[in-house]
Amino acid sequence: MGWGVRDVINGEVRSMICNRLQIRTFGCERESLSPSASASTCSYSSLTGIMDSTKVVENIYLLVIVTLISVLQNAFFAQKVERGCKSANTDTAGFERVSCANRNCMDAYPTFLAVMWCAGLCLNQAPAAFAGIIYLLVRQKYFIGYLGQTSQSTPGYLFGKRIISFLFLMCVVGIFNYLLAYYYSEDYKEYVQIITKASSALLLIP
């Protein structure tokens, strides 16, 4: 009987030891798998971040292009002022005209950027960017016209006001549509985008 009890006890001890060894082995396997799991999690999160950034760029890249073109235009205006400053001793009236034209363009520039970006973000970037390109062309015409006579710049000034009014209206409509979607769950953004794309072509009418 003593040997039988001892065998039973030894068997139970062996089974306990085996169970502990299996638990430790399973724990080691989990620890060895955890770095790869964390690496896959990190790669997934980085991929998601790249996709989000790409989506953001897709929604604003037209506005960025128009903004960069406007920066180049500002550099052109500054170069004209610099040349006029060098010839100020011989042509004072010409320097005053180019300086006044540059100052008038710079005064309206922050307003143009604000309404163009707000219209592009709140509603649609395509018609906002198109209106921005038309505004830059009109701005160029205004600047060149001002170098000749003041009356020659009047059409460009009035046309520029029309474009800024159109962009401001886009901002108001975009914000109003967002409030409707937020409070009443009624989103008319697709219909409004179609209307704005069609109406932006009317800006070409002098």
Side-chain angles (χ1 to χ4, degrees):
M1 291 295 293
W3 289 103
V5 174
R6 188 175 298 176
D7 292 337
V8 172
I9 294 173
N10 291 334
E12 291 179 356
V13 171
R14 288 176 183 175
S15 63
M16 291 174 62
I17 293 173
C18 291
N19 291 333
R20 289 184 180 180
L21 289 175
Q22 289 178 357
I23 292 172
R24 290 181 180 178
T25 305
F26 180 71
C28 293
E29 290 178 353
R30 291 185 62 184
E31 291 178 357
S32 62
L33 290 175
S34 59
S36 62
S38 61
S40 62
T41 304
C42 292
S43 62
Y44 175 75
S45 60
S46 62
L47 181 61
T48 304
I50 293 173
M51 292 176 63
D52 292 339
S53 61
T54 304
K55 187 176 181 181
V56 170
V57 173
E58 288 179 355
N59 292 328
I60 64 172
Y61 76 97
L62 292 177
L63 303 176
V64 172
I65 291 174
V66 176
T67 303
L68 293 178
I69 294 175
S70 69
V71 171
L72 295 177
Q73 190 180 53
N74 290 339
F76 171 77
F77 293 162
Q79 187 180 12
K80 287 289 186 180
V81 174
E82 184 180 357
R83 290 180 180 178
C85 183
K86 291 180 180 180
S87 61
N89 296 327
T90 58
D91 189 8
T92 306
F95 172 71
E96 290 180 354
R97 284 197 299 269
V98 70
S99 178
C100 186
N102 179 68
R103 184 169 60 252
N104 292 340
C105 290
M106 290 298 104
D107 289 342
Y109 183 66
T111 303
F112 158 69
L113 281 185
V115 293
M116 185 188 71
W117 275 90
C118 291
L121 294 176
C122 295
L123 198 57
N124 193 350
Q125 67 165 340
F130 177 76
I133 289 292
I134 299 300
Y135 179 82
L136 294 181
L137 295 175
V138 172
R139 189 175 178 231
Q140 186 75 19
K141 182 179 179 181
Y142 170 81
F143 186 86
I144 299 299
Y146 208 98
L147 298 183
Q149 295 179 359
T150 307
S151 59
Q152 296 179 0
S153 63
T154 303
Y157 174 75
L158 297 176
F159 204 82
K161 288 180 62 177
R162 184 199 303 180
I163 296 173
I164 290 181
S165 300
F166 172 75
L167 292 173
F168 180 78
L169 181 62
M170 284 184 62
C171 297
V172 174
V173 172
I175 294 173
F176 184 71
N177 180 72
Y178 172 77
L179 293 176
L180 284 178
Y182 185 80
Y183 289 104
Y184 301 102
S185 300
E186 296 181 1
D187 191 2
Y188 300 99
K189 189 173 183 179
E190 294 182 359
Y191 302 102
V192 175
Q193 286 179 351
I194 295 174
I195 295 173
T196 52
K197 287 180 180 179
S199 59
S200 62
L202 299 177
L203 295 175
L204 297 175
I205 300 175

